[in-house]
């Protein structure tokens, strides 16, 4: 690597000497560019943009104009001078310790100062620093508005830079988010944005008018603001549309029948029975609208994937509600919507993925053995649907690649052949996804993923794409603190509605297919609980372990209640993995739980125990003589065991995580059934024990 000062000076001299335009207007006033700044710049390029380089050089494609909002040249220069970001910049400190900087600083009298070479990275605009030359203007406050001299200097500087570099865009800082889906945008964190107003539309209009002969590219088309603005207003009234009675994910065919019957009585809707399941449960199609574009939406082809079913009912309520009538009428004149809300009612009856034949309906698109699959194929063919939405749930342990964020919503435009070709049909699905992702980033920033698009010849999504219907797969994953997926239900509601309005207005056509691949892929590196840095003794040796713990859901028919039975999913170095919750156990020792000395006669006796006192003594298990056959779970923070139970002294993948974390012989945390119970006075509402009968 070249010495940073030598690199800086050589590039500065090159900047001064290579242009044909007279540079006498430019005064060089270098900021500090030492080894620290170079290292911070290289780290910024790697962490924010995924660029690994030997030198922090850039290839300029745009000029970004700013104001400093600082009234004097001296104070403005001081803000950029030092390499390290000052502690006062809390809004952006989480992204990097690299100080903000700019290539040019224009004083209020129009004097232009060059602070750094144009081909060295400066931190002045999110997502685009790797290709942007920054021009800051002193002032910009109400007391120090930008001057005519500064305007003229900016125009001259833009023209000068165009003679030196292949500049394609001139951008106001307040316009930078227009590039979010552009190929030049490299920022990896969808949640890292700041709101800017500099240098304002009036200033930019004058600069562009004076440089029109240079034929700069127009800025990218902004997000479809008409639809987005409408959806934001609709979401504000979401509670008016939310179908009551579905606060939990487990519901059955009989539970949805009153809702179906409600729409049968409403003249807005056309409700038809289109088939029956293996166990003779009716399959209904609910249609509304008069447009030429047919949109088919089907949910719960996997019986235990019900999030979108709830959202479909909410959308139907919205369509029937007396609000937003003008917008709905216009939309329904252009599209006709068809909802098949529960394709696999037999699976929903026992809340399992497969149907009564024991097959995955989503892998029955070729043989069409099951009546559910035949129904879906027949409906699609009869409609010759233009668009299709395949609505599913996915594992809550998916995260967005390279991020600790869960993949709360994931998309896929399924491939229709092994080559993963993109024709107009699949391309339209990709464009829709790009638009839906833009809106979702407002409500779940960084929590949107993309499914692997390997072709699956048996799958319905892949085949419906092949049959000519632009098909979008929507998968609902996990969201912190939302076990019954009510927040994700709302995200489905707004996402699907935005797509429907986009189809009606054909807004999706302006979206760039290239931005589809910029949505991060799903990864599988997320646990319910990650315990890191635990000290673990084995055969006289000390080790450091991370534990990845998951809470497996079990629905108790006896209690009509959801319980959890946890297990260790992985152990070892889990530094590249994440948790919905993380406990730093550095310096803590693993201590197996003890068994309570007294054998209790029944579960009623367990209820009378002082669990806090037991935990403080390292007790995690209680022996009980008469264990009821009908119960396996209960509301006590302890594990009940049979009289022959022995505590494992080791940690193993697959085992139930029940143990203590100690320091200097004192227990600080109890881990009971994979849930952390603090023992230092911090309150815990954990009450999910279970029975081990041996």
């Amino acid at each position: 690597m070249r010495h940073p000062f030598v690199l800086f000076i050589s590039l500065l001299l090159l900047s001064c000497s290579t242009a044909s335009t007279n540079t006498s207007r430019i005064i060089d006033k270098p900021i500090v560019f030492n080894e620290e700044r170079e290292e911070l710049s290289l780290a910024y390029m790697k962490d924010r943009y995924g660029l690994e380089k030997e030198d922090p050089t850039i290839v300029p494609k745009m000029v970004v104009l700013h104001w400093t909002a600082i009234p004097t040249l001296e104070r403005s220069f001081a803000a950029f001078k030092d390499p390290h970001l000052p502690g006062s910049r809390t809004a952006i400190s989480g992204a990097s310790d690299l100080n903000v900087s700019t290539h040019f600083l224009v004083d209020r009298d129009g004097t232009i100062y060059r602070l750094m070479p144009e081909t060295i990275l400066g931190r002045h605009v999110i997502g685009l620093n790797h290709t942007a030359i920054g021009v800051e203007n002193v002032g910009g406050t109400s007391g120090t508005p930008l001057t005519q001299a500064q305007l003229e200097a900016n125009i001259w500087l833009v023209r000068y830079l165009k003679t030196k570099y292949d500049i394609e865009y001139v951008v106001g800082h307040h316009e930078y988010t227009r590039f979010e889906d552009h190929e030049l945008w490299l920022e990896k964190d969808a949640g890292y944005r700041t709101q800017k107003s500099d240098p304002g539309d009036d200033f930019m209009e004058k600069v562009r008018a004076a440089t029109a002969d240079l034929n700069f590219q127009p800025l990218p088309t902004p997000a479809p603001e008409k639809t987005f603005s409408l959806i934001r207003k609709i979401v504000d009234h979401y509670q008016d549309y939310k179908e009551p009675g579905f606060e939990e994910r487990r519901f059955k065919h009989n539970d949805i029948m009153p809702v179906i019957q409600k729409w049968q009585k409403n003249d807005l809707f056309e409700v038809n029975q289109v088939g029956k399941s293996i166990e003779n449960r009716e399959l209904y199609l609910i249609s509304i609208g008069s447009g030429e574009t047919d949109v088919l939406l089907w949910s719960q082809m996997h019986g235990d994937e019900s999030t979108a079913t709830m959202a479909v009912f909410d959308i139907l309520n919205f369509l029937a509600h007396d609000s937003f009538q003008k917008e709905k009428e216009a939309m329904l004149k252009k599209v006709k919507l068809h909802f098949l809300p529960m394709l696999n009612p037999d699976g929903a009856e026992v809340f399992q993925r497969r149907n009564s034949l024991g097959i995955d309906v989503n892998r029955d698109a070729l043989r069409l053995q099951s009546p559910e699959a035949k129904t879906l194929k027949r409906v699609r063919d009869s409609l010759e649907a233009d668009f299709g939405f395949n609505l599913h749930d996915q594992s809550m342990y998916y995260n967005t690649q390279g991020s600790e964020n869960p993949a709360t919503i994931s998309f896929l435009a399924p491939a229709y052949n092994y080559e993963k070709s993109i024709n107009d049909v699949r391309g339209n699905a990709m464009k829709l996804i790009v638009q839906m992702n833009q809106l979702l980033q407002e409500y779940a920033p960084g929590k949107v993923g993309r499914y692997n698009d390997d072709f699956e010849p048996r799958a319905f999504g892949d085949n419906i794409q092949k049959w000519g219907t632009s098909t979008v797969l929507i998968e609902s994953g996990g969201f912190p603190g939302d076990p019954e997926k009510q927040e994700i239900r709302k995200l489905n509601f707004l996402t699907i509605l935005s797509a429907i309005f986009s189809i009606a207005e054909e807004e999706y056509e302006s979206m760039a297919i290239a931005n589809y691949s910029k949505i991060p892929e799903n990864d599988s590196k997320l646990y319910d609980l990650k315990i890191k840095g635990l000290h673990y003794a084995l055969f006289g040796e000390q080790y450091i372990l991370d534990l990845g713990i998951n809470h497996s859901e079990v629905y108790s028919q006896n209690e009509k209640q959801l319980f959890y039975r946890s297990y260790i999913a992985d152990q070892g170095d889990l530094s590249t993995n994440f948790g919905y919750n993380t406990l730093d156990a550095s310096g803590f020792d693993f201590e197996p739980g003890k068994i309570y000395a007294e054998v209790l006669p029944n579960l009623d006796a367990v209820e009378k125990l002082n669990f806090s006192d037991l935990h403080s003594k390292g007790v995690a298990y209680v022996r009980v003589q008469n264990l009821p056959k009908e119960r396996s779970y209960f509301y006590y923070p302890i594990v009940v065991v049979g009289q022959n139970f022995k505590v494992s002294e080791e940690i193993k993948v697959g085992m139930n995580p029940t143990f203590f974390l100690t320091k200097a012989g004192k227990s600080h945390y109890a881990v009971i059934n994979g849930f952390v119970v603090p023992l230092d006075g911090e309150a815990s509402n954990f009450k999910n024990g279970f029975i081990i009968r041996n």
Side-chain angles (χ1 to χ4, degrees):
M1 181 183 295
R2 298 171 62 184
H3 191 282
F5 181 75
V6 174
L7 173 66
F8 184 86
I9 292 299
S10 62
L11 288 173
L12 190 59
L13 292 172
L14 187 64
S15 298
C16 297
S17 62
T18 56
S20 59
T21 302
N22 183 358
T23 62
S24 60
R25 290 192 63 173
I26 298 175
I27 300 172
D28 288 307
K29 186 179 176 67
I31 58 175
V32 175
F33 197 95
N34 54 13
E35 185 174 350
E36 179 187 20
R37 194 168 212 139
E38 180 181 38
E39 291 177 353
L40 289 170
S41 298
L42 291 171
Y44 187 96
M45 298 179 86
K46 179 180 179 181
D47 296 342
R48 310 313 308 173
Y49 303 149
L51 299 175
E52 297 195 42
K53 305 185 69 172
E54 292 186 0
D55 297 314
T57 54
I58 69 171
V59 178
K61 290 289 184 182
M62 65 173 61
V63 178
V64 180
L65 307 183
H66 307 253
W67 64 41
T68 66
I70 300 172
T72 68
L73 173 70
E74 292 75 17
R75 287 175 56 194
S76 296
F77 178 78
F80 306 123
K81 179 180 178 182
D82 295 328
H84 202 276
L85 189 72
S88 59
R89 300 299 301 270
T90 55
I92 61 173
S93 60
S96 173
D97 288 331
L98 174 67
N99 195 14
V100 293
S101 54
T102 186
H103 300 89
F104 295 92
L105 180 60
V106 181
D107 201 359
R108 290 175 52 74
D109 64 0
T111 305
I112 302 171
Y113 296 91
R114 177 164 31 211
L115 309 192
M116 58 190 300
E118 298 96 287
T119 53
I120 289 283
L121 177 125
R123 183 183 182 186
H124 58 97
V125 57
I126 292 172
L128 301 166
N129 289 310
H130 67 99
T131 194
I133 295 173
V135 178
E136 288 275 1
N137 290 274
V138 175
T141 65
S142 58
T144 56
L146 299 189
T147 66
Q148 180 66 25
Q150 285 175 309
L151 173 63
E152 293 173 359
N154 278 250
I155 293 169
W156 181 91
L157 189 52
V158 167
R159 301 186 74 89
Y160 159 69
L161 293 172
K162 177 65 173 176
T163 68
K164 294 183 66 176
Y165 306 105
D166 184 20
I167 302 297
E168 298 179 0
Y169 299 96
V170 177
V171 184
H173 195 194
H174 65 295
E175 300 168 327
Y176 82 99
T177 55
R178 297 272 291 268
F179 285 84
E180 284 186 348
D181 292 306
H182 192 274
E183 61 184 1
L184 290 177
W185 182 271
L186 293 186
E187 173 57 49
K188 296 194 294 184
D189 184 354
Y192 177 46
R193 304 288 187 274
T194 55
Q195 296 295 321
K196 296 297 178 182
S197 58
D198 58 314
D201 289 335
D202 181 64
F203 192 87
M204 291 308 302
E205 287 175 8
K206 292 174 180 176
V207 171
R208 291 192 176 108
T211 58
D213 59 303
L214 299 180
N215 297 314
F216 291 118
Q217 295 289 324
L219 299 190
T221 303
E225 193 55 36
K226 179 181 177 181
T227 288
F228 285 8
S229 177
L230 173 61
I231 297 300
R232 294 184 197 109
K233 294 175 183 176
I234 293 171
V235 171
D236 286 342
H237 300 275
Y238 173 68
Q239 291 301 321
D240 295 338
Y241 316 125
K242 187 176 180 181
E243 179 65 39
F246 294 92
E247 297 298 324
E248 297 180 355
R249 290 179 288 127
R250 288 164 172 78
F251 49 85
K252 303 179 180 182
H253 186 260
N254 283 342
D255 297 319
I256 72 167
M257 284 308 300
V259 182
I260 303 292
Q261 291 163 1
K262 175 175 67 174
W263 303 128
Q264 284 178 320
K265 299 173 183 177
N266 190 312
D267 292 339
L268 283 174
F269 299 93
E270 179 183 345
V271 180
N272 291 298
Q273 181 183 327
V274 290
K276 287 189 175 183
S277 69
I278 291 175
E279 295 180 8
N280 214 35
R281 294 183 174 91
E282 301 92 346
L283 307 179
Y284 287 96
L285 186 72
I286 306 168
S287 302
I288 183 173
S290 58
E292 295 183 357
T293 301
D294 285 286
V295 182
L296 172 63
L297 306 95
W298 64 98
S299 181
Q300 223 166 337
M301 70 184 336
H302 295 146
D304 58 353
E305 299 179 5
S306 59
T307 305
T309 304
M310 296 184 284
V312 164
F313 294 151
D314 302 338
I315 291 171
L316 293 172
N317 282 341
F318 164 73
L319 295 173
H321 199 270
D322 58 7
S323 59
F324 301 97
Q325 289 285 29
K326 180 180 177 181
E327 293 85 352
K328 289 185 297 189
E329 289 174 4
M331 178 264 290
L332 291 172
K333 287 179 180 178
K334 298 175 181 178
V335 300
K336 187 168 185 179
L337 308 175
H338 310 271
F339 300 89
L340 211 170
M342 184 183 279
L343 184 63
N344 181 6
D346 299 347
E349 195 71 14
V350 290
F351 209 68
Q352 70 178 23
R353 178 182 181 87
R354 297 171 181 266
N355 68 359
S356 287
L357 186 59
I359 67 172
D360 182 341
V361 178
N362 200 27
R363 296 295 182 269
D364 195 20
L366 296 184
R367 287 190 177 178
L368 297 173
Q369 293 191 96
S370 63
E372 298 92 346
K374 291 176 182 176
T375 297
L376 180 57
K377 176 69 162 62
R378 184 172 60 252
V379 169
R380 198 241 52 113
D381 291 351
S382 66
L383 297 174
E384 292 187 0
D386 300 282
F387 290 89
F389 289 83
N390 190 7
L391 306 174
H392 287 262
D393 285 52
Q394 66 181 359
S395 169
M396 64 179 293
Y397 302 122
Y398 284 136
N399 61 298
T400 58
Q401 193 171 46
S403 165
E404 65 181 351
N405 292 328
T408 300
I409 296 289
S410 290
F411 293 113
L412 174 66
Y416 60 87
N417 59 18
Y418 286 106
E419 293 75 24
K420 304 181 185 180
S421 303
I422 302 174
N423 58 6
D424 288 344
V425 173
R426 189 179 182 214
N428 286 339
M430 290 178 166
K431 291 177 180 180
L432 261 180
I433 289 171
V434 168
Q435 182 172 337
M436 288 187 287
N437 176 55
Q438 280 186 298
L439 179 62
L440 265 181
Q441 293 302 331
E442 297 183 17
Y443 294 89
K447 295 182 176 66
V448 182
R450 175 169 54 90
Y451 238 84
N452 178 280
D453 66 348
D454 288 345
F455 178 60
E456 170 49 73
R458 303 167 298 158
F460 261 102
D462 304 60
N463 280 283
I464 290 179
Q465 198 89 271
K466 181 195 289 187
W467 299 332
T469 296
S470 295
T471 304
V472 172
L473 171 73
I474 300 179
E475 296 266 5
S476 299
F479 189 82
D482 187 27
E484 294 301 333
K485 296 195 171 185
Q486 296 303 300
E487 285 300 316
I488 310 177
R489 166 187 183 173
K490 181 178 178 180
L491 293 177
N492 272 260
F493 169 84
L494 68 93
T495 302
I496 295 168
L497 266 186
S498 72
I500 291 171
F501 277 100
S502 174
I503 291 169
E505 298 298 326
E506 299 181 342
E507 287 180 340
Y508 65 91
E509 292 184 352
S510 66
M511 298 294 105
I513 289 177
N515 293 325
Y516 173 79
S517 61
K518 293 182 181 180
I519 302 172
E521 286 191 353
N522 278 5
D523 206 346
S524 186
K525 292 185 176 180
L526 192 59
Y527 306 111
D528 284 306
L529 171 66
K530 177 183 172 181
I531 298 178
K532 63 179 185 179
L534 173 65
H535 288 191
Y536 175 56
L538 183 65
F539 302 127
E541 298 290 336
Q542 288 288 332
Y543 302 92
I544 301 294
L545 285 182
D546 301 332
L547 302 181
I549 295 171
N550 287 340
H551 307 321
S552 180
E553 293 182 349
V554 180
Y555 188 77
S556 172
Q557 292 292 341
N558 186 60
E559 286 84 9
K560 302 298 182 185
Q561 178 69 39
L562 180 68
F563 290 93
Y564 297 95
R565 184 153 183 161
S566 303
Y567 62 95
I568 297 176
D570 201 359
Q571 63 191 63
D573 179 1
L574 304 182
S575 57
T576 61
N577 295 67
F578 311 98
Y580 280 96
N581 294 292
T582 299
L583 175 65
D584 188 350
S586 302
F588 289 93
D589 298 314
F590 166 81
E591 184 69 31
K594 299 174 185 177
I595 301 177
Y596 185 52
E598 183 181 347
V599 179
L600 301 183
N602 50 46
L603 285 181
D604 291 339
V606 175
E607 185 178 4
K608 300 175 182 178
L609 294 173
N610 184 325
F611 299 110
S612 296
D613 182 59
L614 293 181
H615 290 161
S616 68
K617 297 174 180 177
V619 174
Y621 304 96
V622 176
R623 287 194 176 104
V624 174
Q625 286 182 333
N626 300 309
L627 292 174
K629 295 181 180 180
E630 71 278 4
R631 291 191 65 182
S632 295
Y633 298 87
F634 46 80
Y635 301 101
Y636 317 139
I638 201 102
V639 177
V640 169
V641 297
Q643 297 189 56
N644 298 322
F645 176 80
K646 293 183 179 180
V647 175
S648 173
E649 301 289 325
E650 299 181 8
I651 300 176
K652 296 181 180 179
V653 170
M655 70 177 286
N656 177 261
T658 296
F659 53 85
F660 289 83
L661 301 178
T662 67
K663 185 179 289 187
K666 179 184 177 181
S667 295
H668 290 262
Y669 296 96
V671 179
I672 309 294
N673 188 23
F675 291 84
V676 176
V677 181
L679 304 181
D680 56 2
E682 185 180 344
S684 171
N685 59 2
F686 168 70
K687 297 178 181 180
N688 188 169
F690 66 100
I691 296 173
I692 301 176
R693 298 184 182 278
N694 59 332

